[in-house]
Amino acid sequence: MSNQLELYDVTIIGGGPAGMYTAFYSGMRDLKTKLIEAKDELGGRMLIYPEKMIWDVGGVPPTRCHNLVGQLKEQAQTFDPTIVLGQQITNQERQEDGTYILTSATGEKHWTRTVILAIGYGILQMAKLEIEGADRYEITNLHYTVQELEPFRGKNVLISGGGDSAVDWANELETVAASVTIVHRRDKFGGHENNIRRMKASSVVVRVPYVVDQLHSINGDTIDQVTISNMETGATELIEVDALIVNHGLKSDFGPLRDWGLEMGEWWTNVSEKLETNLPGIFGAGDFVDYKSKVRLIAGTFTDAVLALNSAKLFIDPTAEKVAYVSSHNDRFKEKNKALGVSEDH
């Protein structure tokens, strides 16, 4: 079988920030690279929150999530890696020579010397509102994500949830909506402290510890009122709404990956400080991995990508340099700089 396939040095599974930056850095290290993404486009979990403002990437001013995805896509293709979309890798088989044959859910095969798993939290699904009949409103004004802010302009918006995305949405919508109310079952919110402080200092109405208890509709097509109930006292309130946004977290499914023999927990796999899994030649990066000094930010994901790729390079060639040269001294960028009209003297 392997004789019929093209051999790659590195195959990256997952097309989120970790996977895209790994593809870029793999090009810096002059490795033959393939990136495989289960969905039909790159972006990973960032595709869920296209309008979310990203503040914490070094050197990048506050930018919409979809803009950062576009920049990462462009960067990922700098050295022309092979990019495969719409294939979920379900199986791996190590060959006698140490290489791997990867198989997708639809039967496609891929041959590689090393694998870097950048699959985030696996196949993600939004946790739905557990109220009977709620699904009927999903085509009108019950939302599980915010794709654009403009449809909420001048609306009375109720947000159910207390994670970082719920807080971010409350802050973003406060600038366009007529009113924003956020209900959360606990007193403590998730997310960055500054964002929580900003939300509480704004016009956003914060109701804790409350949950959405009932949905009310006049015409049967849209939610017009929501009953919220106090988790401690049982007291209820009726709130007029034009839109309900539910952010109760994500459900993760790693599927057949759990049968690979990786040392996995519920949400991630443990790796060494060199981003090595317990399987030889298979490394990890991004939200999928955990280690002692792990930083769960996009900026930390980029560091994971570099560490994992350097480990893959040394796995292939133990005599190789431990890291890539910086871009100003890297031969891979000479032709790229000429194409940009940049002189070697600058």
Side-chain angles (χ1 to χ4, degrees):
M1 171 62 73
S2 61
N3 291 334
Q4 303 171 19
L5 299 171
E6 187 175 0
L7 178 62
Y8 283 79
D9 294 318
V10 176
T11 296
I12 304 155
I13 302 177
M20 288 189 282
Y21 194 77
T22 303
F24 166 72
Y25 189 73
S26 187
M28 285 185 66
R29 301 236 54 188
D30 203 20
L31 294 172
K32 187 174 182 180
T33 308
K34 178 183 284 187
L35 187 155
I36 304 174
E37 164 57 39
K39 294 182 179 179
D40 292 327
E41 61 179 314
L42 300 176
R45 189 159 61 125
M46 297 177 75
L47 296 174
I48 300 175
Y49 314 113
E51 288 292 317
K52 183 177 179 179
M53 291 297 293
I54 305 296
W55 287 77
D56 54 5
V57 177
V60 178
T63 186
R64 298 286 180 194
C65 201
H66 65 85
N67 290 332
L68 184 58
V69 169
Q71 293 164 357
L72 285 167
K73 285 181 183 178
E74 183 177 352
Q75 185 182 48
Q77 298 177 70
T78 301
F79 298 105
D80 301 315
T82 297
I83 296 178
V84 178
L85 300 176
Q87 287 191 29
Q88 181 188 4
I89 299 300
T90 56
N91 186 58
Q92 58 82 13
E93 183 178 354
R94 197 171 191 225
Q95 308 299 292
E96 291 184 1
D97 62 359
T99 60
Y100 283 92
I101 299 291
L102 305 175
T103 306
S104 75
T106 48
E108 293 87 353
K109 304 284 185 180
H110 306 271
W111 188 23
T112 187
R113 300 182 194 277
T114 62
V115 178
I116 295 180
L117 296 171
I119 58 174
Y121 297 113
I123 303 299
L124 293 173
Q125 292 183 334
M126 292 288 188
K128 295 296 187 76
L129 183 64
E130 295 181 356
I131 293 179
E132 186 176 355
D135 56 345
R136 79 181 69 170
Y137 303 114
E138 291 179 14
I139 61 173
T140 55
N141 64 339
L142 172 58
H143 309 272
Y144 289 99
T145 185
V146 176
Q147 296 293 325
E148 298 179 23
L149 297 178
E150 196 58 32
F152 298 94
R153 183 172 295 279
K155 302 285 184 67
N156 296 306
V157 180
L158 176 66
I159 300 173
S160 176
D164 56 351
S165 293
V167 172
D168 288 344
W169 287 342
N171 285 329
E172 293 295 320
L173 289 168
E174 191 263 346
T175 64
V176 299
S179 69
V180 176
T181 301
I182 186 168
V183 299
H184 184 36
R185 64 176 56 245
R186 290 185 290 274
D187 292 335
K188 186 176 181 180
F189 286 87
H192 298 303
E193 294 91 339
N194 186 61
N195 291 342
I196 297 170
R197 189 181 307 112
R198 174 186 163 198
M199 177 185 73
K200 290 182 176 181
S202 71
S203 66
V204 173
V205 178
V206 178
R207 308 296 287 137
V208 293
Y210 278 83
V211 295
V212 173
D213 196 41
Q214 297 179 56
L215 308 178
H216 310 282
S217 175
I218 296 174
N219 58 19
D221 295 326
T222 59
I223 302 167
D224 300 293
Q225 297 174 320
V226 172
T227 297
I228 63 172
S229 60
N230 189 296
M231 295 287 291
E232 296 176 355
T233 67
T236 62
E237 293 182 28
L238 190 65
I239 300 176
E240 303 282 338
V241 302
D242 298 308
L244 171 62
I245 300 171
V246 176
N247 180 236
H248 291 174
L250 298 164
K251 294 182 178 179
S252 172
D253 182 8
F254 289 109
L257 190 76
R258 289 196 177 276
D259 299 326
W260 284 23
L262 293 163
E263 293 178 355
M264 292 183 63
E266 181 180 0
W267 290 99
W268 46 64
T269 189
N270 291 320
V271 293
S272 72
E273 293 295 320
K274 297 180 180 179
L275 282 292
E276 303 158 311
T277 71
N278 60 300
L279 301 181
I282 297 183
F283 308 88
D287 287 332
F288 178 61
V289 303
D290 192 44
Y291 54 96
K292 188 175 180 179
S293 56
K294 173 67 179 175
V295 176
R296 296 197 176 278
L297 295 172
I298 294 176
T301 283
F302 300 152
T303 298
D304 284 356
V306 170
L307 293 173
L309 199 284
N310 284 336
S311 293
K313 176 77 173 184
L314 290 170
F315 183 86
I316 295 169
D317 179 8
T319 66
E321 296 286 346
K322 292 183 179 180
V323 297
Y325 288 112
V326 295
S327 59
S328 57
H329 299 101
N330 193 307
D331 288 342
R332 299 286 288 166
F333 286 100
K334 287 184 177 179
E335 292 302 318
K336 301 290 182 184
N337 287 338
K338 288 180 181 178
L340 293 171
V342 178
S343 170
E344 292 290 324
D345 297 328
H346 289 78

